[in-house]
Amino acid sequence: MTSYEAELVVERREFAADGVLALTLRHPLGEQLPAWEPGAHIDVVLGPDLERQYSLCGDPADRTAWRIAVLREPDGRGGSAYVHGQLGQGDKVRVRGPRNHFRLEPAPRYRFVAGGIGITPILPMLAAAEAAGAEWTLLYGGRTRNSLAFTEELGRYGDRVTVAPQDEVGLLDLPSVLDGVPDGTLVYCCGPGPLLDAVEARCPGGILHVERFQPKAQVSGADSEFEVVLEQSGKTVTVPVGVSVLDTVRAAGVEVLFSCTEGTCGTCETDVLEGTPDHRDSVLSEEERAAGETMLICVSRCLGKRLVLDL
């Protein structure tokens, strides 16, 4: 899989809310950046073994700049602390992408639900839905009003946006926006795991699209050893119990793009030529899982004894 990769300059740092830092990135020579669609994210390489994915939340029509927003997480794994504390204006940062597993499908009506920093992929979707003349609403919640990012930008949409800080109104009123939606409506949701779980419990799978920042708990059978044939490389490897396909393939000297190693970013998605994957990711839809044409090799395994991958 090919991917754009470059060092971009942090042109601007500005706080979009308490604890949420928005960064504008540009090419140092003024070159245009790759086109992207709402729902896309980029990989940001912050240092050795420190790489994170952030949704693009600017204007897809602006090919001169990418905007991301990063929530400061004191108990995180170091990425947000680095961005907030060490990545300064004028610094360069290596990025890869964009990639998109959260595309906005055409529809006459949308219901958007965002929690906290989950507003980032939703923000450009609203502009796209508006431009397409679709009917839509957004329910946007977070801990406090000051913690909700980009509320000034959202103000232009008037009463189609409901801002619901938890300390003022309690938990999001999901039934008000999800129960009895008309035919043809698609629901898009991004935010913390409990919110996504609650939305999934109220929505039929066919109308719901979600993006997770943390891996979803998977119910899988016992692990077993299996064989993987790497079609392009002409190699065959054995994947032991407790070792991922990704790690086994890399140990065999085959280079593969990867990032999160948790099954949430989609970077390591690989074509399956033969065999049945045991999908354990938080990216692929139920339809994509049933088709079995691709798998995320950082977490997924094999339901049989043999896979043939396009590597």
Side-chain angles (χ1 to χ4, degrees):
M1 181 186 299
T2 58
S3 174
Y4 176 82
E5 183 169 347
E7 282 195 338
L8 302 185
V9 175
V10 179
E11 182 194 72
R12 186 165 65 249
R13 286 167 49 102
E14 54 189 340
F15 280 93
D18 287 351
V20 179
L21 179 64
L23 302 179
T24 300
L25 309 175
R26 295 186 188 271
H27 193 280
L29 300 179
E31 296 178 7
Q32 282 200 334
L33 302 176
W36 60 281
E37 297 178 350
H41 70 262
I42 56 173
D43 303 329
V44 181
V45 182
L46 301 171
D49 301 318
L50 188 60
E51 185 172 326
R52 297 292 182 265
Q53 292 73 45
Y54 298 112
S55 297
L56 293 172
C57 58
D59 179 4
D62 183 359
R63 297 283 301 277
T64 69
W66 283 344
R67 184 176 69 169
I68 61 174
V70 181
L71 171 67
R72 177 65 187 264
E73 299 181 274
D75 298 324
R77 297 178 297 153
S80 69
Y82 183 91
V83 171
H84 277 250
Q86 299 185 54
L87 190 59
Q89 193 157 313
D91 287 349
K92 291 183 178 180
V93 62
R94 181 158 293 276
V95 302
R96 291 197 297 262
R99 298 184 182 84
N100 200 340
H101 288 275
F102 193 42
R103 297 183 186 280
L104 184 68
E105 303 293 340
R109 286 172 294 278
Y110 299 97
R111 297 294 179 265
F112 298 103
V113 181
I117 197 64
I119 191 62
T120 51
I122 299 294
L123 200 60
M125 291 185 179
L126 304 182
E130 182 80 357
E135 174 203 324
W136 64 267
T137 62
L138 166 67
L139 179 60
Y140 179 27
R143 298 184 311 278
T144 66
R145 190 172 295 273
N146 288 340
S147 72
L148 296 172
F150 304 116
T151 51
E152 288 189 10
E153 292 183 26
L154 292 171
R156 65 190 176 106
Y157 295 121
D159 60 7
R160 280 170 294 177
V161 174
T162 299
V163 175
Q166 186 173 351
D167 65 340
E168 297 178 20
V169 300
L171 296 177
L172 290 180
D173 183 8
L174 297 180
S176 68
V177 295
L178 299 181
D179 288 1
V181 294
D183 289 344
T185 303
L186 294 182
V187 177
Y188 280 79
C189 180
C190 186
L195 171 63
L196 300 185
D197 293 340
V199 171
E200 286 182 336
R202 303 198 76 91
C203 285
I207 73 169
L208 177 61
H209 299 260
V210 302
E211 182 170 62
R212 291 181 177 270
F213 296 138
Q214 299 295 330
K216 183 179 181 180
Q218 302 291 331
V219 179
S220 303
D223 285 353
S224 61
E225 183 178 279
F226 58 96
E227 179 181 87
V228 175
V229 177
L230 309 177
E231 184 75 11
Q232 291 187 34
S233 306
K235 296 182 178 182
T236 298
V237 297
T238 299
V239 181
V241 174
V243 180
S244 69
V245 176
L246 173 65
D247 287 344
T248 304
V249 168
R250 295 183 68 225
V254 177
E255 289 300 316
V256 184
L257 282 179
F258 69 96
S259 182
C260 73
T261 70
E262 295 182 327
T264 58
C265 75
T267 304
C268 68
E269 185 176 5
T270 301
D271 289 339
V272 178
L273 305 179
E274 293 181 31
T276 304
D278 178 7
H279 295 292
R280 303 185 182 188
D281 64 274
S282 303
V283 172
L284 298 180
S285 67
E286 290 304 317
E287 293 78 10
E288 290 169 326
R289 290 181 174 217
E293 296 175 354
T294 67
M295 65 183 289
L296 271 63
I297 62 173
C298 66
V299 291
S300 297
R301 299 184 68 81
C302 179
L303 289 176
K305 293 294 185 181
R306 182 175 181 267
L307 287 173
V308 180
L309 302 180
D310 190 18
L311 290 174

